[in-house]
Amino acid sequence: MRFSDRGQVAPFIVMDVMEAARRAEEAGRHIIHMEVGQPSTPAPALARRALAEALEQDTLGYTVALGLPKLREGIAALYRRWYGVDLDPGRVVVTAGSSGAFVLAFSALFDAGDRVALGEPGYPSYRQILRAMSVEPVGFPTRAENRYQPVPEEIPQDVQGLIVASPGNPSGTMLGKPQLAALMETCAARGISFISDEIYHGLHYGPRAVSALEVSDEAYVINSFSKYFSMTGWRIGWMVVPEDHIRIVERLAQNLFICPPHASQLAALAALDAVDELEANRAIYAENRRLMLEGLPKAGFTKIAPPDGAFYIYADVSDLTTDSGAFAREILDKAGVAVTPGLDFDPLRGARTLRFSYARSTAEIAEALERLSAFMAAR
């Protein structure tokens, strides 16, 4: 059978790095994983306990398409707690991870042939999901002096949408409220749909991240239980949509997904109350970040934008290589540390960058830095 043109998306290179690391481990090597953007901690104990109890008492069948009402209310309460935003739970859409939210958002907002802008470096699956939906991703280079975040004058002409992530992946940098407001005001004036990826909210190391909902209700805001709540494999996320978009998204969700996973919804509801455990995780990331900002320059990775949030450091390695893919393979082979080449995040400049994740235990991060220092000294 023939292949569709829109199915010809690029691979997610970090998954290829994970596979290479898996093969090395299968061969008996000890690999430290700094390539994958997921916590090394499990889902909160409250979440695991809630699901265990539900498995004995509930059939866990279909829920309503937009998610369990109690979970939607819990997410709305989170916006009051984190941002002081009074959010109608009816605007909350529970999804099968943030990936499911992007599919719903792009389906609701864009037609085939539309153009959607996104700053580079940025999360690569934006581009590939858009392409798979016959929507054209329009990447534009953000600048190191702007800490890899977009500014209004960089938004391309003739686009129907803009995706912004703060904290960003791979940079970990954040937009302040004035900068976020400037982008949203520009989009509103130009009739551009604004999508705010807030999946790393909760993971900050100074001032907290600002939600687009603190600026305007005219946005799609996407978040997930994957990162701060340490629930990547549970595939549970959410988005907040304008009131007049609720029914449009609901009809799409009914037909595309039926509903989010019931079991994961119950666990997520309990995770909202696991504040002490989740803040303890964040304290570990803060210490790991400190070690990374101290240790990477000593090892020879000196061109970095210090992250405000998430658990990544993005390094310009143009003084060390012009082929980040080959460099990452060399680091894996000789140092036993898996890192991600920037090719995933920036098709034009990514051959000269690497992303380091510091989501592992502090002991592993310390050992990884020792290995990287020894590798660079011998190189």
Side-chain angles (χ1 to χ4, degrees), residues 140 223 315 325:
F140 61 94
N223 208 321

Side-chain angles (χ1 to χ4, degrees), residues 301-343:
F301 302 96
T302 58
K303 300 178 181 179
I304 57 178
D308 303 306
F311 34 56
Y312 307 118
I313 288 181
Y314 197 55
D316 178 343
V317 291
S318 56
D319 55 333
L320 302 171
T321 187
T322 57
D323 185 345
S324 60
F327 193 27
R329 289 190 292 273
E330 183 183 358
I331 293 171
L332 178 62
D333 180 53
K334 295 181 179 178
V337 178
V339 300
T340 302
L343 296 165

Side-chain angles (χ1 to χ4, degrees), residues 42-339:
L46 283 175
R48 303 195 308 273
R49 189 156 56 245
L51 179 58
E53 292 173 0
L55 287 171
E56 299 301 323
Q57 302 170 9
D58 199 323
T59 58
L60 300 180
Y62 294 141
T63 71
V64 294
L66 295 183
L68 292 169
K70 286 186 178 179
L71 178 55
R72 297 166 73 196
E73 291 168 5
I75 291 168
L78 182 71
Y79 280 84
R80 286 192 292 274
R81 190 168 85 222
W82 278 6
Y83 314 107
V85 169
D86 188 11
L87 176 62
D88 176 5
R91 294 174 54 201
V92 176
V93 179
V94 183
T95 61
S98 63
S99 300
F102 287 121
V103 170
L104 288 171
F106 298 164
S107 298
L109 293 171
F110 307 123
D111 291 314
D114 279 352
R115 290 159 42 88
V116 176
L118 43 102
E120 294 171 342
Y123 180 54
S125 292
Y126 300 148
R127 294 192 299 270
Q128 310 313 334
I129 296 171
L130 288 166
R131 286 193 180 110
M133 301 176 75
S134 299
V135 177
E136 181 184 352
V138 182
F140 61 94
T142 56
R143 294 176 289 170
E145 53 265 40
N146 293 326
R147 307 185 74 250
Y148 298 115
Q149 288 288 353
V151 294
E153 56 267 28
E154 294 173 343
I155 301 173
Q157 295 300 313
D158 189 27
V159 296
Q160 286 70 51
L162 173 68
I163 306 170
V164 169
S166 173
N169 176 13
S171 67
T173 61
M174 298 193 313
L175 289 161
K177 189 172 184 179
Q179 292 75 29
L180 181 60
L183 288 167
M184 295 181 72
E185 289 164 7
T186 299
C187 287
R190 292 175 52 184
I192 297 171
S193 296
F194 189 87
I195 300 172
S196 181
D197 180 353
E198 302 181 359
I199 190 173
Y200 292 100
H201 279 217
L203 298 176
H204 53 268
Y205 309 105
R208 66 162 175 83
V210 177
S211 174
L213 295 179
E214 297 178 72
V215 177
S216 171
D217 287 330
E218 291 301 307
Y220 271 47
V221 172
I222 293 175
N223 208 321
S224 170
F225 286 88
S226 289
K227 309 300 182 176
Y228 176 75
F229 293 94
S230 196
M231 295 176 66
T232 51
W234 298 70
R235 309 315 302 135
I236 190 74
W238 76 85
M239 64 180 180
V240 181
V241 303
E243 187 174 357
D244 59 346
H245 284 237
I246 296 170
R247 183 56 179 161
I248 295 169
V249 172
E250 183 176 29
R251 292 197 302 261
L252 286 165
Q254 289 168 341
N255 287 283
L256 290 174
F257 300 107
I258 300 179
C259 69
H262 191 161
S264 296
Q265 291 188 68
L266 293 174
L269 177 59
L272 290 168
D273 292 327
V275 176
D276 291 345
E277 184 175 350
L278 297 170
E279 285 299 296
N281 290 345
R282 184 163 69 95
I284 293 171
Y285 301 144
E287 173 61 11
N288 293 353
R289 174 182 180 271
R290 185 191 69 79
L291 291 175
M292 293 284 284
L293 291 176
E294 180 183 286
L296 282 179
K298 288 181 179 178
F301 302 96
T302 58
K303 300 178 181 179
I304 57 178
D308 303 306
F311 34 56
Y312 307 118
I313 288 181
Y314 197 55
D316 178 343
V317 291
S318 56
D319 55 333
L320 302 171
T321 187
T322 57
D323 185 345
S324 60
F327 193 27
R329 289 190 292 273
E330 183 183 358
I331 293 171
L332 178 62
D333 180 53
K334 295 181 179 178
V337 178
V339 300

